[in-house]
Amino acid sequence: MTRQRVAFIAYHACPLAAPGQAKSGGMNVYVRELARALGERGWPVDVFTRTHAGTENTTEQVTPMVRVIHLPGGPVDAPMESLSRHLPEFQTALAAFHREHGIDYGLVHSHYWLSGCAGQVFADGQNIPHMVTFHTLGLIKMQSRAGEVEPEERQLAERSLMSSAQRIIAFSSHERDAMVSLYGADPRRITLAPCGVDLSLFRPLEQERARGILGLNGEKVFLYVGRLEALKGVELLLRLPAHMDNGEKIRMLVVGGGLGEQEEVDRLRSLAKALNVDEVFDFVGMVDQGDLPVYYNAADVCVVPSYYESFGLTALESMACGTPVVASRVGGLPNVIQHGRTGYLQSRRCPETFANSLEMIISSPSLRQRMGQAARRRAEGMGWEQVADKISRVYDKLLLKRSKSR
């Protein structure tokens, strides 16, 4: 059954961008995989994003039901902090594309506050429902780590969008409650729908084979995957070895560090040398999405030491590969990780507590195996198909409400 066409607004999160390129990461994966899964359920999806470095064509057909449309939105290399200034250009191009092609969209689904600003204008112009997934929220980020600053423009825009959008998607109960308490959002217009994982890509593999591919030699292996920025808390990992005393040789693989993150990479490398742990750490750099399962499967434990995670896609990908996770008890991570069953959650962000949990797992092969099996079972209930089914039901309700109001 073919349904009404949906306009995804993903201003700076092109689904064709590889994770790690500039600010590309979990949001880009979310937009791509959700669009694909919705297309498989009969929803034609147009993803509108800004033209960026590496763009080859204005329109890219991704699947028979999903296409990505690149529109002007500032210089291709414009830094993230300047993108709000270029929103009017993007909004004008979006309106022009609609006029030229005369497409009848059923609803607009925006991703992040910048996209929401453009999406609300577009939805109002077409008199169609507007739905927003924020992915991260400025006020929560500012509360999560001392010194974290977000522009007032963002805070005002998020508050306005929560008042105007017909539906808001929250990844976790923590995010939903923050929307209500910090922004005054109406809880009746918030739907809980977590992120998802590609279960066919992220799946258990033989650990020794994965380690052979990476050239690992018998150490206990810990893994970090993600952007290298202060909010991710990677510095904590550098202080772990000093608190581990079970005599095991360890290796820490740090996967990440894309464009715009070199300063943080250099700082972490210098700190590792100062702490005399540089021989334990491998700063791997960028890894293609298709190669990530090898790293997850090679690891004994995946570590997520973030100050804030709206969801925690890395944790879910690791669990889908059957690898336990030790993570900060922040944001949406408690909705993904089952403490004591699929890994451990730490309320205190200090190396001693993280080291203790890691030692518990690596010192007991049977515990690691049980946790890994439970992690995979947990992930099997969080595939993109389940997420798309839930979002699809939200779309149906919004469109039914709209048709009744006509």
Side-chain angles (χ1 to χ4, degrees):
M1 177 180 68
T2 300
R3 291 154 152 148
Q4 286 187 263
R5 186 171 291 273
V6 177
F8 268 28
I9 311 297
Y11 177 49
H12 78 293
C14 177
L16 302 180
Q21 287 182 354
K23 281 288 185 177
S24 176
M27 194 189 317
N28 305 67
V29 174
Y30 180 96
V31 170
R32 180 183 69 241
E33 295 301 322
L34 178 59
R36 178 193 57 76
L38 287 170
E40 292 172 355
R41 279 148 186 77
W43 295 97
V45 179
D46 283 348
V47 183
F48 292 97
T49 189
R50 64 185 293 272
T51 302
H52 55 86
T55 302
E56 294 184 1
N57 301 302
T58 300
T59 301
E60 297 275 359
Q61 197 75 39
V62 182
T63 75
M65 297 290 281
V66 178
R67 58 182 182 168
V68 175
I69 300 160
H70 295 97
L71 300 175
V76 295
D77 57 351
M80 181 69 185
E81 57 270 18
S82 75
L83 290 184
S84 64
R85 299 201 301 267
H86 304 295
L87 262 177
E89 181 184 3
F90 181 79
Q91 290 171 314
T92 299
L94 177 58
F97 179 92
H98 182 257
R99 284 194 305 271
E100 179 182 352
H101 296 276
I103 299 169
D104 182 21
Y105 291 101
L107 59 87
V108 177
H109 187 171
S110 298
H111 300 271
Y112 198 65
W113 72 274
L114 287 167
S115 300
C117 293
Q120 189 65 59
V121 171
F122 186 64
D124 287 346
Q126 310 309 313
N127 193 28
I128 55 178
H130 183 215
M131 189 165 102
V132 183
T133 302
F134 285 97
H135 295 268
T136 64
L137 291 167
L139 289 178
I140 302 181
K141 289 182 71 174
M142 291 171 65
Q143 288 185 352
S144 301
R145 175 180 171 272
E148 199 72 28
V149 178
E150 289 292 324
E152 185 178 6
E153 176 188 24
R154 175 178 183 174
Q155 302 168 44
L156 294 173
E158 289 173 341
R159 190 179 301 275
S160 175
L161 287 166
M162 288 184 205
S163 298
S164 60
Q166 280 71 42
R167 181 59 49 181
I168 304 164
I169 296 297
F171 288 150
S172 67
S173 55
H174 172 272
E175 187 177 33
R176 177 198 60 201
D177 295 346
M179 290 173 177
V180 175
S181 63
L182 298 178
Y183 293 90
D186 183 349
R188 295 171 297 182
R189 292 189 294 110
I190 302 173
T191 296
L192 284 178
C195 195
V197 66
D198 184 344
L199 294 168
S200 63
L201 174 62
F202 295 97
R203 65 188 192 280
L205 306 171
E206 183 186 10
Q207 187 182 66
E208 288 306 312
R209 179 169 174 268
R211 290 186 172 185
I213 293 172
L214 299 180
L216 298 171
N217 298 310
E219 306 102 328
K220 296 297 182 181
V221 178
F222 304 138
L223 174 70
Y224 168 84
V225 176
R227 291 198 299 272
L228 297 185
E229 58 186 25
L231 199 66
K232 295 296 186 179
V234 182
E235 184 173 321
L236 181 146
L237 303 183
L238 303 180
R239 303 184 186 278
L240 284 176
H243 298 277
M244 301 193 71
D245 54 9
N246 65 351
E248 294 276 11
K249 289 185 177 181
I250 65 170
R251 173 67 52 187
M252 178 68 75
L253 304 181
V254 179
V255 174
L259 297 174
E261 297 175 4
Q262 191 57 48
E263 183 177 344
E264 180 68 1
V265 173
D266 292 342
R267 187 185 75 85
L268 292 171
R269 285 183 181 276
S270 296
L271 181 57
K273 190 171 184 178
L275 294 172
N276 200 31
V277 296
D278 50 317
E279 292 186 0
V280 173
F281 278 76
D282 286 343
F283 289 88
V284 177
M286 296 271 301
V287 169
D288 289 340
Q289 183 84 349
D291 294 330
L292 279 177
V294 175
Y295 286 85
Y296 285 123
N297 278 281
D300 290 288
V301 188
C302 180
V303 192
V304 186
S306 305
Y307 287 91
Y308 168 50
E309 289 285 349
S310 59
F311 178 74
L313 182 58
T314 291
L316 183 54
E317 290 174 348
S318 178
M319 288 164 53
C321 292
T323 300
V325 182
V326 174
S328 308
R329 189 184 288 273
V330 297
L333 286 167
N335 288 71
V336 180
I337 301 162
Q338 296 171 314
H339 180 69
R341 181 172 173 78
T342 66
Y344 292 114
L345 291 162
Q346 296 298 344
S347 298
R348 294 175 59 224
R349 278 197 74 268
C350 59
E352 296 91 342
T353 57
F354 272 74
N356 182 61
S357 292
L358 292 171
E359 286 182 328
M360 288 178 64
I361 295 174
I362 64 174
S363 64
S364 174
S366 61
L367 174 63
R368 191 224 178 256
Q369 183 179 32
R370 288 198 304 273
M371 282 189 162
Q373 291 171 345
R376 174 63 188 185
R377 288 195 298 270
R378 170 71 169 157
E380 285 173 348
M382 303 179 74
W384 284 112
E385 291 70 23
Q386 290 95 323
V387 177
D389 285 341
K390 189 157 194 174
I391 297 295
S392 184
R393 289 193 291 271
V394 176
Y395 288 177
D396 284 333
K397 289 179 182 178
L398 285 174
L399 293 172
L400 179 61
K401 185 177 180 180
R402 180 193 178 211
S403 66
K404 287 183 177 179
S405 65
R406 285 180 168 177

